[in-house]
Every structure is written in C-alpha cells, then in structure tokens.
Amino acid sequence: MKNVLFASAALAAVAFAAPAFADDTSGYFGAGYTRTGSDVETYDLTASVAFKPTDQIGVQLDAGYTSLQIDDEFSSENMFGAGAHVFTRNDQWAIGGFAAVSNSDSVSTYNLGVEGAKYFDNLTVAGTIAYGSSDDLDADAWGVGGEVRYFLTDNFRLNAGLGYADADADTVVSAGLGGEYQLSTSPFSVYAGYTHYQFDEADIDEDKLSIGMRVSFGGQTLKGRDRAGASFTGAAGVFGGVF
C-alpha cells in the first residue's frame, strides 16, 4: 500500500511540475494492461509532461506504477519508476539524453542514455541507446532500439520497432508493431501493441500484447505530441518497463 500511495502522489506531481500549464506545456495520463507469455500480467499507470524552460531546451518528466502478477507462482510485484529527459528539438529533428530510476518490492535499477528523432512529413524515425544497472541483481545491460512512426492522420499513428539488449545473463532481440488512435473532438486515445522477444542463451521466445488508453492535456493531436510534446520513451524503448 505504501508503494501505491507513493506512486499515486508522484504521478500527480509530474502533471503539475511544469510552470502552471503554460502554452508550451503538454502531456498525458495513461492506464494499460499487458500480457507476456502465458502467465505474466501487468497493470500500468503512467504520466508524462513536457515543457520548455528556455527557447532552445525542452524537458520531459515521466512517472509510472506497475503491478506485475505471475499466474503459476501466485505472486505479484509492485514497481514505481521516474525519469527525466533533457533535449533540444525543432521541426526537423530532436536529440537529447535521459536518466531514470525504478524500484520494485525486490529490485532497484537505474538507466541512462541518449535518444533522438528525425521528422519527415508523416513519418518519424526515432532511436535510443541505453545503459541499465541493478546493484540488487549485480547486473548491467546495454541496448539499442529504433522505431518508425507513420501518421495516417494527425490522430492515427502506426508504429514498428526493433531492439537489441545485451545483459550479463543473456542477449535479447525484440520486434514490435502497434498503433494509437485519438478521438478528434476529445483528449482520449486508445492504443494497442504486440512485441516478440527472442532470448539467445535461454533459447526462449516470448510474446507481449498491450492495450490501454491515454488522456492528454495541452490540446495536442498525436502528431503534435510526437513533434512538440511528451514523445520520448527513454530506456523503455530498449529494455521495456513502466514507461
């Protein structure tokens, strides 16, 4: 219960961390469900806000809470995470860096990395290089991820991504497809995604299905969020996680 209350407070704090919802402030709240393999379920709450403290520098703050449940072990795990991105962006490209921490009932981790995007007319090509470490697991990992986002309309996005991660225990390659649709007259959107993971040393394949919804603030379309809002994924684009 303590973790849930702390996560709820942090999610609310993220939404109000930017200067009083200025004209260049936007973000969203999200709730999602994920099924990985045949026995792992997660329920997620997320919040992200983006703003510009100067004309050249942008900031994005993230917070998330995940409840993970494993069916065959009748066990559960609670995780809270928070992250910050600092970047520069114009109408053609974006580049920046990020740092994030997460804490569960048994494991704490942190991530660092760089990220960027190139904008075309209805297409965005994004990439991330990330490093992660956990003292509790005595493990380190690094990875790269890339994503292509195509906008059929300003409020209908399709995306495809590839990722590679190398940890002390194993290497994993991932490939995914997804999409998001926002109602043109409201701030509500729905999303869905599928990701396939191939673990090399363990010789295991896993599939992940995700669905959820978001409520945005700041009056942006999905394409507007991509080009001028809270669109950076950080290490979640490589390792997965609460974001």
Side-chain angles (χ1 to χ4, degrees), residues 105-116:
D105 296 335
S106 58
V107 177
S108 296
T109 64
Y110 69 85
N111 298 303
L112 301 168
V114 295
E115 56 197 339

Side-chain angles (χ1 to χ4, degrees), residues 38-60:
S38 61
D39 59 356
V40 179
E41 295 180 303
T42 61
Y43 300 87
D44 305 311
L45 296 174
T46 57
S48 291
V49 61
F51 58 98
K52 294 184 67 176
T54 74
D55 289 341
Q56 300 298 323
I57 300 298
V59 174
Q60 178 180 318

Side-chain angles (χ1 to χ4, degrees), residues 138-231:
D138 191 24
D140 299 284
W142 70 272
V144 295
E147 185 178 38
V148 176
R149 309 168 192 150
Y150 181 74
F151 293 87
L152 284 81
T153 71
D154 285 358
N155 277 317
F156 189 9
R157 185 196 73 245
L158 299 177
N159 46 277
L162 292 172
Y164 172 84
D166 188 342
D168 293 341
D170 209 341
T171 59
V172 57
V173 177
S174 61
L177 297 170
E180 185 172 2
Y181 176 75
Q182 180 171 305
L183 299 174
S184 59
T185 58
S186 81
F188 293 93
S189 66
V190 293
Y191 66 86
Y194 163 80
T195 305
H196 178 76
Y197 297 93
Q198 173 65 55
F199 294 85
D200 185 25
E201 296 296 329
D203 194 24
I204 296 174
D205 292 352
E206 289 285 2
D207 295 307
K208 180 175 77 173
L209 296 173
S210 303
I211 58 172
M213 64 171 294
R214 295 186 175 106
V215 182
S216 63
F217 55 89
Q220 291 181 327
T221 63
L222 293 185
K223 188 175 180 180
R225 182 205 300 165
D226 181 75
R227 308 296 169 90
S231 58

Side-chain angles (χ1 to χ4, degrees), residues 9-76:
L11 288 166
V14 163
F16 295 99
F21 290 99
D23 290 341
D24 60 1
T25 299
S26 62
Y28 61 85
F29 297 96
Y33 166 82
T34 298
R35 181 85 180 187
T36 304
S38 61
D39 59 356
V40 179
E41 295 180 303
T42 61
Y43 300 87
D44 305 311
L45 296 174
T46 57
S48 291
V49 61
F51 58 98
K52 294 184 67 176
T54 74
D55 289 341
Q56 300 298 323
I57 300 298
V59 174
Q60 178 180 318
L61 303 176
D62 305 316
Y65 170 76
T66 292
S67 174
L68 182 149
Q69 300 179 7
I70 303 175
D71 293 347
D72 60 358
E73 297 180 7
F74 301 102
S75 62
S76 63

